[in-house]
Every structure is written in C-alpha cells, then in structure tokens.
Amino acid sequence: MRDPILTREYLKRRSFIELSARDRAKCLFDSGTGLELAGPFDRIESPWLAMQDVTPEADDGCIVMRGTIGGQQAVVIAFAGAFQGGAIGEVSGAKLTAALDLARADNEKGIRTNAVLLLETGGVRLQEANLGLAAVAEIISSIIALRRHAPVISLTAGTVGCFGGMSLAAGVASYVVMTPEGRLGLNGPEVIEEESGVEEFDASDRSLIWSVFGGRQRYDQGLADALVDDDADQIAKTVRDLIAQGVPPVHRSEQIDLYRSRITALDNARQWNPEELHFRASQNKEENR
Amino acid sequence: MNKFTGIRGRVWFKALTGQASSMPGDPHSVLTADAQIGDDKARFLCVVPDPDGRFPCARRGEVGLEEAYTLAARVREAIGADKESAKRPIIAIVDVKSQAYGRREETAGIHLAGAAAADAYATARFAGHPVITLIVGQAISGGFLTHGYQANCLLAFDDDGVLIHAMHKEAAARITRRTVAQLDKLAETVTPLSYNVRDYAKLGLLYRLLHVSNPEDPAPEDVSLVRHEVIAAIQDARKASPDLINRTESEAACVARKASRLVRARLEEQWNH
C-alpha cells in the first residue's frame, strides 16, 4: 500500500513544468521582485516569421526578468517551449545575449548580478536559420564573459528539453540543473535517426531516449550538478543555493582532460551502455576529499 | 553533399602552414601547426575527414567527440604557453560538414565536448589572442559552433562551394515542411534562410568576403591574397573589443540585424528603469 503521507506531499507540491515560461521565471525570484524587461507590450517581434506565414509572438517566446534571488541581483531568461519549440530566433537570441551583457556590465561596476537560463529549446529556429545560429554563438560568448564574475545557471526542467546549439550554451554554464523530466543533448533522437539510420538510434524507443538524454542520466554521469524533482519550491531553493555558492573554482567546459579521459577507455566497437558512464559517485568522492 | 567537403580544409591548411599533419597523440582528423604569418607565429587548426577514425559517425569531416576535445586542448595549450608573453593568433580553417550525429556521441555528452572547444576559442579571444576564422568550404550548425564561430573575425571565400548554415538544405526543408524549391524561393527575400555566401555576407557577421580564383587548388596569388587578408584581420582583431559586439555593429548588421539592435537598446533602457 502507498504511504498516505507521501501522497499528500506529492499532491501539495507545485509543479514547475506545468507553469508557463513567465511563471517559471517569476517563481525563482524573491517574492514580488521579478520584473519583466522588453516584454510583450514592447512588441519586439521576429521580423522574419510573418514573411513565411508563421504568426510571430509579441515576446518572441523569450522572457527576461530582473529582480533579486536570495537577496542578490539576478536576471532570469526563460524560453517558452510552447512557441516554436523554444527555438532561438533573432529576437529571442538577442534578448538572451543582451541580458547577459548587461549583467556582466553590472558585475564590472561591482554590482554582483547572477544569471539563470531556463533552457527549453530545440536549438536554432530554422525559419531564421543563420541569424539563429549566429545568436547561439554570441550567447555562448556572453555566458563565458559573465561567468567569471557571477554564476550562470542553466536549468532544464522539461518537457521540451535542451537540444541543438543551445546544449553548448548549457555546456559552458557554471551549473546545470535538471529534473528527471528534462533532457539534454546536441542531436535529438529524430535527428540522429534521420542522419545516421535507425540502427544507430531508434527514435521510437522511449527508454533508450531517457537512458541517454534524461536528467537522471546526465546527473549520474556528472554532466549535471543537481537533479531536482518537478517541484517549484525545490527548484527555486536549488537555484538560490547555487547562487549562494558563487562562481565554481573551475568550469566544467574547462576540464578537458577529465571529461575526455572518461570516454577514451571505452570500447568503441559497440554502442555504450549509458551506465558505463556513471561517474557521479567517484566525482563526489573526489570533491569530498 | 559537396564533392569537395573536407578536401579544401587540408589544401588550405597546407597552403598556409606548409604542412598537414596532426600533433603527436592527436586523432588524424585534427590538423594543428604553429606557422609564421606576417610578423606572427600563429596556431592553425583544421578538422579534416579521417576514414579510419575511431568513431564511425565522425569520419567524413564532422566534428565529433575527439575532434572537439582535441581542438579544445590545442587552443588551451596555446593560451597556457602565451600566458606571460605575446598572444599568438589562433587561426581556424573551417570546412566542416556538421557535428557528428551518433548514439555514442550523445551517450558520452558531445554537447560538453563542443562546449569545451567553443569555450577554449572564446577564452583565447578574451585573453587577447586574435582569433581568426577562414571559411574555405562548409561551416554547418554544431560543427561551426564548435570550430570557428567564436572568432573575432570571420573570413569566407566568395564561392559556391562555401556553405554557412544552421542545417543542410534537404533536412531544413523537411523539418520546416517545405520543398527545397519553396525554401530556395523564400530565401530570395528572407536573407537568413539563404545558402548563398553573398547573402550570408549581408547579415553583417563577416569581416571579409575573399575572391579566390581556385579554392580547391590555389595558385600562389590566391595564397598570398588570403595571407594578406588574414594578417589584416589579425591586426584589426588586436585593436578591437574582445567580445562579439562587432557582429551587430557592422554596416550590414545595422540593416539586417535591426531587430537585434532594437532588443539591446530596449533592454539597456529598461535595465535600471
């Protein structure tokens, strides 16, 4: 029989995944401090979508919000997976880059400003192809410039996941936070099946997809720093804790030898069992030493 | 697929450095050399096909796990070596058909390998190394993000064999539910969709478009022209801001990326309301 107390706890929790991008952003801030910038009333739409008979949105699927988190200045940039699969267009990409640059400028003036990226995105928006790809390159650069001063936290809760070029943006972040419903990878299952064949990756195999891309796997293999349940309060607390922790002594994407060494030993003649890549336990041991 | 994919990279690496080999211990798909250009000894890097490569999905000129980590390591090696001395230019010669599309790659977390390479190039740029990218063939999607797109200056050949894009045309048409003909038609007015490098130049991201008479088998004049332009780019990069703001401030970007500029202006206005 199920423990009734657990059930009540479960029912009491507030789902983060079910929130809109705007509400997701808002719930991370200290109560009442989250203020949206360049919002829908500024009506900066994609100039390219209407030309292709695609209806643009007044916020281009990207929400920028400023306020305080745990008493510190912070900017949260959230992608709305519901619009164009959260894909990066010229406007949404420029919002993220400019917000990161403004946060960096504040840090350089001595005002510590942290950044949290809510990445629910399939990557580059193909209707804005080259400007989306260019935006991703600029986003990566701006994250790297900011993270020297203050942590840049990447959060992928689901259900869209973080794919394409934006997975590199998550890769250069100071901390990666995921829920078990989040997924993270460069090429999604359909793309691999399309490009390399169903023998390489069967995109209809749900358990394979989650075993490779899922938040639990990314955490167990040491590619995510925190795994949190789909609970808005828990997620907000995790973000607060990481901001309090500050800039890590070394960023994951600088640790080339460590991450490279984990794959050089594996037998390449066959596909790998995702469990072969579980390095979290040994990593924790090293960190505690 | 372009029949020259992967050939041009090696040809131009050799033309500019006088050699075409990997550094000891590196996969044969990554060429690295320190060679003289103008007054500088620069570090040149290039990803080339290796039919005998360790990973089956990264043998035809794709950027895979080993390529990305090797680029990252070789760029960081240069940053480390120049910590207390003059910052050598870092030159990425780009002819990459894409990132590697494979299950091993995703299982291992190729996004981190790509991030490590992009990080190394960007870190070099912020540390004061002039980072110059010379696009001699294809520069597609995650392959380009990993190798080349973090440069201070992007130079590309004005040639039909040059392809800079987020995705190959057939796949992009399929995913956006269009025919290739419809996509071509749209690209005439929607500049960022175009597969033509001259349209790419209109976006304001390029430092220079270079006219080379024979990109597959360059004549000495071609090589000396390219050399000359790369040297000019190195000099300009040393004087310019180390971030990528120039990509939205160029004359062409003021037209093509108006929306990007408007977003930045609006956020600046509202940041401290």
Side-chain angles (χ1 to χ4, degrees):
Chain A
M1 252 218 20
R2 188 174 283 176
D3 187 333
I5 296 167
L6 275 182
T7 311
R8 201 181 313 142
E9 286 295 311
Y10 181 79
L11 289 173
K12 243 171 53 189
R13 99 196 188 311
R14 192 159 54 108
S15 167
F16 186 77
I17 294 176
E18 286 168 17
L19 298 176
S20 69
R22 188 164 282 111
D23 289 338
R24 286 183 183 199
K26 193 145 223 162
C27 81
L28 299 179
F29 285 101
D30 299 337
S31 177
T33 68
L35 195 70
E36 186 168 353
L37 310 179
F41 298 109
D42 287 286
R43 298 201 69 84
I44 310 179
E45 295 175 349
S46 159
W48 310 103
L49 292 179
M51 296 165 85
Q52 301 170 61
D53 298 322
V54 178
T55 311
E57 285 205 356
D59 58 18
D60 203 42
C62 176
I63 285 93
V64 178
M65 226 177 256
R66 256 201 97 182
T68 61
I69 297 180
Q72 291 194 37
Q73 288 295 325
V75 60
V76 176
I77 302 98
F79 288 89
F83 178 61
Q84 295 286 320
I88 309 299
E90 180 187 3
V91 168
S92 62
K95 277 188 173 181
L96 175 46
T97 304
L100 292 166
D101 291 348
L102 287 161
R104 172 175 55 140
D106 273 0
N107 280 290
E108 285 167 352
K109 282 183 273 182
I111 308 162
R112 159 86 177 255
T113 304
N114 309 277
V116 186
L117 320 181
L118 307 191
L119 302 183
E120 302 297 334
T121 167
V124 171
R125 191 185 290 169
L126 287 176
Q127 289 85 356
E128 307 187 28
N130 263 328
L131 284 180
L133 192 68
V136 174
E138 290 163 19
I139 288 164
I140 291 169
S141 176
S142 294
I143 293 172
I144 290 168
L146 172 58
R147 71 178 194 191
R148 281 178 296 173
H149 305 285
V152 178
I153 298 166
S154 162
L155 165 59
T156 298
T159 55
V160 171
C162 175
F163 287 103
M166 288 304 281
S167 67
L168 271 62
V172 297
S174 311
Y175 302 106
V176 173
V177 180
M178 296 183 74
T179 72
E181 287 79 23
R183 292 172 299 163
L184 173 62
L186 178 54
N187 302 296
E190 290 83 8
V191 180
I192 304 175
E193 185 182 301
E194 191 78 46
E195 295 285 338
S196 302
V198 69
E199 323 71 51
E200 183 67 21
F201 206 112
D202 179 354
S204 69
D205 186 341
R206 307 291 297 166
S207 69
L208 173 66
I209 294 171
W210 289 100
S211 73
V212 170
F213 297 100
R216 184 164 298 280
Q217 167 66 11
R218 292 316 193 196
Y219 177 75
D220 285 340
Q221 75 185 117
L223 295 181
D225 301 276
L227 181 70
V228 202
D229 281 334
D230 173 29
D231 178 322
D233 295 332
Q234 283 302 315
I235 289 173
K237 181 179 181 306
T238 304
V239 167
R240 272 197 309 276
D241 290 349
L242 290 171
I243 285 178
Q245 211 168 305
V247 177
V250 56
H251 280 87
R252 180 175 280 110
S253 56
E254 297 172 309
Q255 294 173 276
I256 301 162
D257 292 341
L258 173 68
Y259 289 98
R260 190 183 199 177
S261 68
R262 292 178 176 182
I263 50 171
T264 41
L266 295 175
D267 170 13
N268 237 49
R270 56 171 177 81
Q271 293 291 354
W272 299 330
N273 179 341
E275 286 177 13
E276 291 176 77
L277 286 132
H278 284 185
F279 292 96
R280 165 64 52 190
S282 59
Q283 197 162 313
N284 285 348
K285 238 179 271 162
E286 265 169 52
E287 279 165 9
N288 290 334
R289 228 187 282 158
Chain B
M1 194 178 112
N2 186 309
K3 63 179 169 154
F4 296 115
T5 300
I7 292 172
R8 288 180 174 196
R10 188 181 292 275
V11 162
W12 280 94
F13 190 90
K14 196 158 191 193
L16 293 170
T17 68
Q19 48 184 299
S21 53
S22 305
M23 287 202 163
D26 285 356
H28 295 154
S29 49
V30 179
L31 309 178
T32 308
D34 290 313
Q36 198 71 29
I37 184 153
D39 297 331
D40 286 293
K41 191 151 219 178
R43 171 148 290 195
F44 291 78
L45 301 123
C46 184
V47 175
V48 296
D50 174 15
D52 304 317
R54 189 169 166 243
F55 287 86
C57 294
R59 289 175 179 158
R60 294 160 300 165
E62 301 92 344
V63 183
L65 291 163
E66 293 204 307
E67 291 72 24
Y69 279 129
T70 303
L71 292 167
R74 291 301 175 194
V75 171
R76 286 211 173 261
E77 180 183 61
I79 300 172
D82 296 350
K83 208 160 205 160
E84 309 295 336
S85 53
K87 312 289 182 199
R88 85 187 77 176
I90 291 172
I91 321 266
I93 298 176
V94 177
D95 186 10
V96 288
K97 70 179 293 249
S98 64
Q99 69 275 23
Y101 300 102
R103 180 157 137 202
R104 291 174 187 80
E105 282 78 4
E106 294 304 327
T107 306
I110 189 177
H111 68 279
L112 180 64
D119 181 338
Y121 279 116
T123 299
R125 170 163 48 75
F126 285 118
H129 292 266
V131 181
I132 310 298
T133 283
L134 179 66
I135 303 165
V136 300
Q138 301 199 29
I140 310 278
S141 190
F144 189 26
L145 289 176
T146 301
H147 175 55
Y149 226 167
Q150 287 300 323
N152 299 84
C153 301
L154 306 169
L155 290 80
F157 291 168
D158 179 9
D159 176 81
D160 288 342
V162 169
L163 199 59
I164 307 169
H165 220 272
M167 190 176 266
H168 285 278
K169 199 189 270 184
E170 291 72 19
R174 198 168 52 232
I175 290 172
T176 53
R177 298 194 182 87
R178 293 163 175 153
T179 63
V180 168
Q182 285 169 324
L183 181 55
D184 281 334
K185 182 82 195 143
L186 269 173
E188 289 171 15
T189 49
V190 187
T191 321
L193 284 183
S194 174
Y195 285 80
N196 184 319
V197 69
R198 290 188 187 176
D199 287 330
Y200 182 82
K202 290 179 193 157
L203 300 176
L205 301 156
L206 280 183
Y207 171 82
R208 202 92 80 212
L209 205 51
L210 308 179
H211 306 273
V212 173
S213 56
N214 191 352
E216 279 88 41
D217 184 16
E221 308 85 79
D222 289 333
V223 178
S224 94
L225 167 103
V226 168
R227 207 172 257 287
H228 179 80
E229 293 285 356
V230 170
I231 293 166
I234 291 170
Q235 286 165 351
D236 281 352
R238 282 211 166 101
K239 285 178 279 182
S241 164
D243 56 23
L244 299 180
I245 198 73
N246 61 332
R247 294 190 193 168
T248 35
E249 289 182 342
S250 65
E251 212 174 298
C254 289
V255 179
R257 300 186 75 191
K258 241 185 250 154
S260 305
R261 297 168 59 81
L262 177 63
V263 166
R264 185 171 288 265
R266 198 61 58 83
L267 275 175
E268 274 170 10
E269 262 165 50
Q270 296 178 5
W271 190 254
N272 291 314
H273 51 101

